[in-house]
């Protein structure tokens, strides 16, 4: 949902769906709209492949500049043609992601989440966007949304690694999330 920094799409998506209706301005907001997204998601690498270098004249008055200046590019080249990317196929990705969500230890508050994330993956649930904003703010994460989705979220789940190793996950309740992962779970 944070497509403004860098993204790509297939030629087929461009030629058969988007090029004929591409807007003259504010394309990043338009691209986030549910009518364009059609339930699709953007997979984002944990190590950034884009770099935000502008501090003056940026969109939205550079409101995220303080956070974006902390993003660094991966210094190590990757031979993508030698990588097995089958784990990114939707069903397999969702199956593995759901398993990871279920196995993350559920905690009740930010303090406990931060402490337990030193030992392993943890999950902190939110039941409203207002509650998400409060938790995200306490964790120094982006607390806004675009088109009804928290920034950087995958199916409502926002990830952070406060100590580098283990995930701290902000999630809707698992019973609500299960609906989003149902097709992958039942296969």
């Amino acid at each position: 949902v944070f497509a403004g920094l860098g993204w790509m799409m297939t030629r087929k998506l461009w030629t058969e769906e988007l090029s004929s209706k591409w807007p003259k301005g504010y394309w990043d907001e338009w691209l986030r709209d549910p009518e364009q997204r059609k339930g699709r998601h953007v997979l984002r690498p944990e190590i950034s492949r884009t770099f935000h270098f502008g501090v003056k004249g940026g969109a939205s008055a550079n409101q995220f500049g303080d956070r974006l200046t902390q993003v660094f590019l991966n210094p190590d080249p990757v031979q993508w043609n030698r990588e097995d990317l089958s784990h990114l196929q939707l069903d397999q990705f969702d199956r593995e992601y759901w398993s990871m969500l279920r196995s993350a230890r559920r905690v009740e508050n930010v303090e406990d989440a931060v402490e337990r994330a030193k030992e392993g993956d943890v999950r902190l649930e939110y039941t409203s966007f207002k509650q998400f904003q409060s938790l995200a703010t306490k964790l120094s994460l982006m607390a806004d949304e675009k088109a009804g989705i928290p920034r950087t979220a995958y199916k409502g789940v926002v990830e952070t690694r406060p100590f580098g190793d283990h995930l701290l996950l902000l999630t809707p309740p698992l019973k609500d999330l299960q609906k989003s992962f149902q097709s992958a779970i039942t296969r």
Side-chain angles (χ1 to χ4, degrees):
V1 185
F2 206 171
L5 293 182
W7 52 276
M8 63 183 166
M9 70 178 90
T10 63
R11 180 184 311 257
K12 181 179 180 180
L13 177 61
W14 173 252
T15 58
E16 295 181 14
E17 185 179 332
L18 298 178
S19 66
S20 64
K21 58 182 183 174
W22 196 260
K24 293 195 184 306
Y26 301 103
W27 58 265
D28 55 335
E29 295 292 328
W30 175 83
L31 199 54
R32 293 179 183 110
D33 186 75
E35 187 177 323
Q36 306 336 309
R37 220 174 48 245
K38 296 183 179 178
R40 295 177 286 227
H41 296 273
V42 174
L43 294 179
R44 70 274 183 244
E46 286 195 52
I47 299 173
S48 184
R49 303 286 185 234
T50 62
F51 182 71
H52 180 76
F53 59 87
V55 291
K56 291 185 180 178
S60 305
N62 201 32
Q63 71 188 65
F64 299 114
D66 60 330
R67 289 184 169 96
L68 297 175
T69 58
Q70 302 304 309
V71 175
F72 298 97
L73 290 174
N74 174 26
D76 303 320
V78 177
Q79 299 293 324
W80 291 110
N81 59 339
R82 295 183 183 164
E83 296 291 321
D84 177 10
L85 302 178
S86 61
H87 65 282
L88 298 177
Q89 294 295 320
L90 184 60
D91 282 346
Q92 185 173 342
F93 182 86
D94 276 0
R95 221 175 2 264
E96 291 173 12
Y97 203 78
W98 176 249
S99 178
M100 184 262 308
L101 289 171
R102 289 187 59 216
S103 64
R105 180 180 187 169
R106 183 169 181 225
V107 293
E108 298 298 324
N109 57 60
V110 169
E111 296 76 20
D112 197 25
V114 170
E115 189 60 34
R116 301 280 181 189
K118 293 175 183 175
E119 306 159 3
D121 294 349
V122 295
R123 180 171 45 84
L124 186 57
E125 293 183 355
Y126 64 90
T127 56
S128 68
F129 184 69
K130 186 175 182 176
Q131 186 183 21
F132 167 80
Q133 287 180 304
S134 174
L135 296 171
T137 300
K138 289 177 184 175
L139 291 165
S140 298
L141 300 174
M142 292 178 138
D144 67 327
E145 58 80 29
K146 290 294 178 182
I149 299 172
R151 284 200 194 248
T152 75
Y154 180 67
K155 297 189 178 189
V157 178
V158 173
E159 304 173 5
T160 186
R161 292 183 186 268
F163 303 104
D165 294 327
H166 304 291
L167 286 167
L168 189 161
L169 304 153
L170 295 180
T171 74
L174 281 192
K175 64 179 175 44
D176 297 342
L177 266 179
Q178 187 170 353
K179 296 170 193 163
S180 296
F181 289 91
Q182 197 60 44
S183 65
I185 295 169
T186 57
R187 288 182 187 212

